Each structure stands twice: as structure tokens, then as C-alpha cells.
């Protein structure tokens, strides 16, 4: 069984440097504005090699022991669903 998020991650985090979400360019066309969800940014990294899933905030990798509003704990509890539902790669979103 693979180790869960945050367990034996010392070298793993060095192998997968943290990549912050890039800025989104402003639109120059008609848009519709909606209410902002007030939460915290999150990223889930699912490696193609089947290695441990990594979870991050806006600027760093996080673990259940060094968490950001419970996001890493939630991701660890739902790892298999996230792996199968998201697939490989970096997945950015808002946690609220």
C-alpha cells in the first residue's frame, strides 16, 4: 500500500517542486460576475508513476500534520477517489 500524504515526503517534495497557480489574464470582453467563494487555494498533484499524492496551498506543499484549513487531512481521507476522479497532473481549486 502506498504511503499516505505527508508520510516519508522529504525527498518526494524535492522531486516534485511546488508550482504556484499562474495569474489569469484579464478579459477584454463582456463578462458575468458572480459571488466570490471565500476559501483558500489548493492544489492536488497526482503523479503518473503511481507515487504518493501531494497536496498544496497557494505557496507550499502541505501535510495532514502541517495543514491549511483541513485540506490535506480531507485529501488524505479521499485519496483513492481523488486519484481516480482527477487523474494524473496538478489540479488547482478553491477549498471552502
Amino acid at each position: 500500500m502506498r504511503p499516505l500524504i505527508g508520510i516519508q515526503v522529504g525527498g518526494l517534495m524535492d522531486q516534485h517542486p511546488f508550482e504556484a497557480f499562474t495569474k489569469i489574464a484579464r478579459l477584454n470582453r463582456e463578462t458575468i460576475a458572480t459571488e466570490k467563494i471565500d476559501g483558500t487555494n489548493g492544489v492536488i498533484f497526482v503523479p503518473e508513476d503511481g507515487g504518493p499524492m501531494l497536496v498544496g496551498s497557494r505557496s507550499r506543499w502541505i501535510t495532514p500534520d502541517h495543514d491549511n484549513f483541513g485540506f490535506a487531512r480531507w485529501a488524505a481521507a479521499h485519496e483513492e477517489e481523488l486519484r481516480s476522479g482527477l487523474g494524473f497532473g496538478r489540479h488547482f481549486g478553491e477549498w471552502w
Side-chain angles (χ1 to χ4, degrees):
M1 185 169 164
R2 281 186 315 281
L4 290 177
I5 301 165
I7 299 173
Q8 301 174 347
V9 294
L12 180 64
M13 290 181 184
D14 294 334
Q15 293 172 17
H16 301 285
F18 186 84
E19 292 180 23
F21 185 73
T22 57
K23 296 211 180 263
I24 298 173
R26 294 178 187 244
L27 296 176
N28 292 321
R29 61 180 171 88
E30 185 176 329
T31 60
I32 298 173
T34 62
E35 182 179 357
K36 180 190 179 303
I37 296 174
D38 193 16
T40 185
N41 292 95
V43 59
I44 294 176
F45 173 68
V46 180
E48 288 187 53
D49 64 4
M53 183 175 79
L54 296 176
V55 177
S57 65
R58 178 186 299 268
S59 59
R60 64 188 173 91
W61 293 121
I62 58 177
T63 68
D65 293 329
H66 300 285
D67 210 345
N68 190 32
F69 297 101
F71 182 53
R73 283 189 304 276
W74 177 85
H78 295 88
E79 181 174 2
E80 293 306 316
E81 296 166 70
L82 291 167
R83 281 180 178 277
S84 63
L86 294 174
F88 305 126
R90 283 173 164 62
H91 307 279
F92 294 90
E94 188 83 0
W95 171 255
W96 55 280

